[in-house]
């Protein structure tokens, strides 16, 4: 909440903070920022109980079986919630990045950006993976470039690799774009509000880590 208050709506033109729950995937127990009471005749909503911790009121409950547990945004008890799974990152920057990422998912529909997760199965193909890795490497070079000319050349390389990859698979461009508008903008928001001091350097290192991954289908954005 402190990260969202510090942003004060500057990044997206609105406050990102809202109902949030942290959920244990195994037990389905959660801690929420707001109380939950089932409506009349609503047996699919379970009530929370209040717990005082260091002068703050937490709302503890259990998710019903019909609800999935994930890092996402969900509708529950008449509200739109951001949800994150325990355990959360150890560092303050990592925590803010994850939690603000999920808070953005909570409001993205209001921003006209629906949570659309189309399959990008072409990124399991050899050529899809090859040209995605080349794009990631070019973007890493752009982030680390010291001069404007080197940065521009690396960005042009990245765009060329992207254009070629998308030309190889029918519908790839639109599928990738949809996921970038969802997960890409969410991660961008998390990074911007994370409090990380050197965001370009961190992003370059993160791209190197991502490039060594086994699958890009969901993670590339």
């Amino acid at each position: 909440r402190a990260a969202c208050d510090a942003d004060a709506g500057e990044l997206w033109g609105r406050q990102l903070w809202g109902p949030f729950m942290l959920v244990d995937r195994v037990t389905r127990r959660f801690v929420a920022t707001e109380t939950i009471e089932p409506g009349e005749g609503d047996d699919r909503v379970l009530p929370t109980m209040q717990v005082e911790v260091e002068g703050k009121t937490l709302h503890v409950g259990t998710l019903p079986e019909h609800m999935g547990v994930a890092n996402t945004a969900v509708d529950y008890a008449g509200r739109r919630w951001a949800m994150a799974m325990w355990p959360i990152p150890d560092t303050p920057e990592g925590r803010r990045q994850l939690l603000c990422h999920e808070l953005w998912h909570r409001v993205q529909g209001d921003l006209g950006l629906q949570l659309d997760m189309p399959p990008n199965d072409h990124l399991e193909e050899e050529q899809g993976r090859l040209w995605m890795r080349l794009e990631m490497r070019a973007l890493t070079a752009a982030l680390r470039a010291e001069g404007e000319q080197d940065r521009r050349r690396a960005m042009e390389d990245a765009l060329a690799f992207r254009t070629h990859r998308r030309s190889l698979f029918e519908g790839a461009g639109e599928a990738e774009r949809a996921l970038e508008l969802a997960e890409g903008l969410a991660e961008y928001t998390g990074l911007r509000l994370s409090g990380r001091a050197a965001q370009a350097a961190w992003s370059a290192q993160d791209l190197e880590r991502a490039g060594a991954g086994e699958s890009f289908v969901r993670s590339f954005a």
Side-chain angles (χ1 to χ4, degrees):
R1 181 167 193 168
C4 292
D5 288 346
D7 172 64
E10 180 178 351
L11 186 59
W12 287 102
R14 61 164 297 163
Q15 169 65 267
L16 295 179
W17 178 252
F20 206 117
M21 60 174 66
L22 301 174
V23 189
D24 185 294
R25 172 180 275 177
V26 177
T27 65
R28 306 182 67 80
R29 297 279 285 171
F30 67 83
V31 175
T33 58
E34 300 182 7
T35 188
I36 295 174
E37 293 289 348
E40 184 176 351
D42 188 355
D43 58 359
R44 290 167 64 87
V45 173
L46 303 177
T48 55
M49 64 178 181
Q50 293 187 2
V51 178
E52 298 294 325
V53 179
E54 298 180 358
K56 297 182 184 297
T57 301
L58 304 179
H59 307 275
V60 181
T62 302
L63 278 183
E65 291 296 328
H66 74 275
M67 288 189 64
V69 178
N71 292 331
T72 188
V74 296
D75 293 312
Y76 185 59
R79 278 161 283 177
R80 185 71 170 166
W81 295 81
M83 177 191 293
M85 296 184 295
W86 287 113
I88 57 177
D90 293 333
T91 67
E93 295 84 2
R95 285 194 292 272
R96 286 194 292 265
Q97 186 163 342
L98 170 65
L99 303 185
C100 290
H101 174 126
E102 305 310 334
L103 281 164
W104 186 85
H105 280 315
R106 194 186 73 83
V107 302
Q108 70 180 88
D110 297 336
L111 297 170
L113 298 164
Q114 295 303 316
L115 184 57
D116 189 7
M117 303 295 235
N120 280 272
D121 294 338
H122 63 283
L123 297 179
E124 293 286 24
E125 302 291 335
E126 179 183 7
Q127 290 299 303
R129 293 168 59 80
L130 170 66
W131 292 100
M132 175 59 76
R133 279 195 164 122
L134 287 171
E135 180 184 344
M136 287 180 167
R137 291 180 184 181
L139 289 171
T140 301
L143 286 163
R144 289 178 172 160
E146 296 183 359
E148 182 61 29
Q149 184 175 355
D150 289 342
R151 181 176 296 109
R152 179 177 291 275
R153 184 180 298 114
M155 291 168 62
E156 289 173 349
D157 288 345
L159 291 172
F161 296 148
R162 171 180 292 206
T163 300
H164 180 68
R165 180 184 67 251
R166 292 180 172 182
S167 73
L168 299 176
F169 304 95
E170 184 178 357
E174 197 56 37
E176 289 183 14
R177 177 179 175 273
L179 197 58
E180 286 170 347
L181 287 174
E183 291 301 328
L185 289 181
E187 188 66 359
Y188 170 76
T189 301
L191 177 60
R192 282 288 302 273
L193 273 60
S194 68
R196 295 187 188 277
Q199 295 187 358
W202 184 91
S203 296
Q205 187 175 19
D206 190 50
L207 275 169
E208 284 189 332
R209 177 198 57 77
E214 294 184 359
S215 176
F216 302 129
V217 171
R218 283 290 304 277
S219 65
F220 81 92

